[in-house]
Amino acid sequence: MTGEGPSVLKSRDVKGVAEYMKSDQCRKVFVMAGAGISTSAGIPDFRSPETGLYHNLQRLNLPYAEAVFDIDYFRENPIPFYTLAKDMDPSKFRPTITHSFFKLLDKKSLLKMCFTQNIDTLERRAGLSGDKIIEAHGSFAANSCIDCQEPYEEEKMKIAVEKGEPARCASCGGLVKPEIVFFGEGLPSSFFSTVPQLRTGDLLFILGTSLTVMPFAGICKLAPPSCPRVLINLDAVGDLGSRPDDVLLLGDCDGVVRELCKELGWLEELEDLWAETAGLGEKIDEKDELEQITRDIEEKLKVSEAIGEVVEEKLEMKVPGMSKPVEGAAQEDEDQSKVLTDPTKPELTAKETAKGPSVETEKAPVKEQTDVGKKEASVEEVKSAL
């Protein structure tokens, strides 16, 4: 934390933030949210060491853990993602008190925009309207063909996900997936067209994120010096604390949000808003959910491997009417299999594009790529893309 005293806030704590929010100076509030705001709903984050989704998927027979969100791997084998999508169906989860805080900011006519890395749509389920949300890494809110981009009906997609049978586009036959940004895909244009608004902000909340996934992580630097940046997170991250009016409120997101709303005199309203979400899903244990996801994907991969073995056996058998096995067929299949399972192959590793989902997170990453190859975009690169 810089030793220089604050110039906008009276103090760099909950009381100072609350007092500023009550003033006429604070009219445009922005939010940057990561996976840490959804873990209390039971949704595992992606990158935390030991407990994150990617860490637990490392033991499975995937080319690499993040392959489940890789567009090239999805084209070859969409089953792991469809299995994950079933387990992470947003309708299973209730929004957290932090999601209701965003709704309350909007109700108070303070929220200008919520930038989220999360694909779980819990901001929407908490009642925040879509025009106040930029889902930087996409979400489960819509589905489309990966080839022709034809929209795909939600109800049909639900059936496909429930059955674990990848949906196909009626127009071109291409695979269909939710509009989540996979590794190998670009971020939505709405993200780049909206981030300049941060330069007009009076207050920026940054919650539940490791601030390591670019270009999302860099946009906090677009807030002007006159805009206090408030980090609500388990750990200090990024350059937060380097400015005179940076505030680090370290701890559980829901707990800190409640403390802030109590200081604001909003706690009862916050709890009432959260109570309205009571019928939207249930409280799910994050650890149990993570273990279930891993088990389900492992089971599907075993089935895929068994089918592959049968195919290979048939390729090695003699074709009826011939005096010797078909030469080259089994070897070709084996070579292709190596490409899909060898993590050293450039086809499936070095992705020079922006990341797909986050379900990103508030803790240190195992391998920083989402929002699956890494696009190292500095703030300057973000600015140049605007």
Side-chain angles (χ1 to χ4, degrees):
M1 179 75 74
T2 178
E4 188 179 345
S7 59
V8 178
L9 303 174
K10 289 188 177 180
S11 59
R12 290 181 293 204
D13 54 18
V14 169
K15 184 176 181 180
V17 174
E19 187 171 346
Y20 175 66
M21 290 178 70
K22 294 176 184 178
S23 74
D24 292 337
Q25 290 177 274
C26 187
R27 286 291 177 263
K28 296 180 180 179
V29 177
F30 288 87
V31 166
M32 290 174 60
I37 70 169
S38 295
T39 53
S40 63
I43 299 176
D45 66 50
F46 279 34
R47 300 175 180 79
S48 294
E50 308 301 327
T51 61
L53 177 64
Y54 290 153
H55 176 85
N56 282 269
L57 293 181
Q58 285 178 350
R59 65 182 175 82
L60 304 182
N61 189 25
L62 290 166
Y64 50 95
E66 296 93 332
V68 72
F69 285 111
D70 185 284
I71 191 63
D72 292 335
Y73 184 73
F74 178 79
R75 289 180 182 278
E76 297 291 342
N77 185 7
I79 296 299
F81 171 77
Y82 266 76
T83 304
L84 177 68
K86 180 179 179 179
D87 286 330
M88 294 188 68
D89 177 3
S91 66
K92 293 170 50 178
F93 305 97
R94 179 188 179 185
T96 69
I97 199 82
T98 299
H99 292 100
S100 292
F101 174 59
F102 302 164
K103 173 62 178 176
L104 183 56
L105 287 173
D106 190 40
K107 184 179 178 182
K108 298 287 184 181
S109 299
L110 290 173
L111 184 68
K112 184 69 174 175
M113 189 63 68
C114 172
F115 294 92
T116 180
Q117 291 174 285
N118 299 335
I119 61 174
D120 52 38
T121 72
L122 292 189
E123 295 87 1
R124 295 170 183 266
R125 289 170 61 76
L128 197 59
S129 62
D131 62 355
K132 288 296 180 73
I133 307 169
I134 294 295
E135 292 160 328
H137 300 151
S139 76
F140 281 98
N143 312 284
S144 61
C145 172
I146 65 174
D147 291 325
C148 72
Q149 286 73 56
E150 179 78 17
Y152 194 80
E153 291 181 30
E154 182 179 357
E155 288 305 314
K156 288 184 178 180
M157 189 65 179
K158 285 183 178 179
I159 294 172
V161 169
E162 184 64 31
K163 290 182 176 181
E165 298 175 357
R168 291 279 180 177
C169 174
S171 298
C172 73
L175 285 164
V176 172
K177 71 173 181 64
E179 292 182 357
I180 296 167
V181 180
F182 276 25
F183 300 120
E185 296 183 307
L187 271 61
S189 60
S190 59
F191 170 75
F192 294 102
S193 64
T194 308
V195 291
Q197 294 182 18
L198 284 165
R199 297 191 180 101
T200 69
D202 298 321
L203 181 64
L204 173 61
F205 282 106
I206 302 164
L207 308 94
T209 172
S210 61
L211 278 190
T212 50
V213 178
M214 292 295 185
F216 186 92
I219 68 174
C220 65
K221 295 182 180 180
L222 296 180
S226 60
C227 174
R229 303 184 302 177
V230 180
L231 175 70
I232 300 178
N233 204 47
L234 291 178
D235 306 295
V237 296
D239 74 336
L240 277 300
S242 64
R243 296 184 183 181
D245 288 290
D246 282 351
V247 181
L248 275 58
L249 303 179
L250 303 185
D252 169 74
C253 288
D254 292 343
V256 174
V257 162
R258 279 191 168 102
E259 184 183 354
L260 175 59
C261 286
K262 182 178 181 180
E263 190 67 37
L264 285 162
W266 297 358
L267 186 56
E268 185 175 347
E269 285 183 88
L270 177 68
E271 296 290 356
D272 286 346
L273 277 177
W274 191 49
E276 293 176 9
T277 70
L280 302 177
E282 57 187 279
K283 172 65 178 177
I284 298 175
D285 182 83
E286 179 190 358
K287 184 178 179 181
D288 291 344
E289 180 69 9
L290 181 59
E291 291 176 351
Q292 183 64 50
I293 289 172
T294 308
R295 282 198 302 270
D296 287 349
I297 293 179
E298 184 175 29
E299 181 180 340
K300 290 291 185 180
L301 283 172
K302 286 180 178 177
V303 172
S304 295
E305 289 169 5
I307 293 173
E309 289 174 2
V310 170
V311 171
E312 288 183 4
E313 287 177 5
K314 288 185 176 181
L315 287 171
E316 292 171 357
M317 292 173 62
K318 293 181 179 180
V319 176
M322 296 183 68
S323 60
K324 60 180 181 179
V326 177
E327 295 179 0
Q331 182 62 46
E332 181 180 351
D333 187 68
E334 181 181 349
D335 291 342
Q336 180 65 19
S337 176
K338 286 180 179 178
V339 171
L340 295 179
T341 57
D342 185 352
T344 65
K345 294 292 184 182
E347 291 89 340
L348 292 176
T349 53
K351 310 292 181 192
E352 297 302 327
T353 54
K355 309 187 113 187
S358 188
V359 178
E360 197 258 358
T361 159
E362 82 279 18
K363 301 176 188 175
V366 172
K367 182 178 180 182
E368 272 314 331
Q369 311 185 94
T370 11
D371 285 287
V372 213
K374 184 171 182 182
K375 179 179 182 180
E376 288 290 355
S378 63
V379 174
E380 288 68 34
E381 289 175 299
V382 172
K383 289 180 179 178
S384 68
L386 300 179

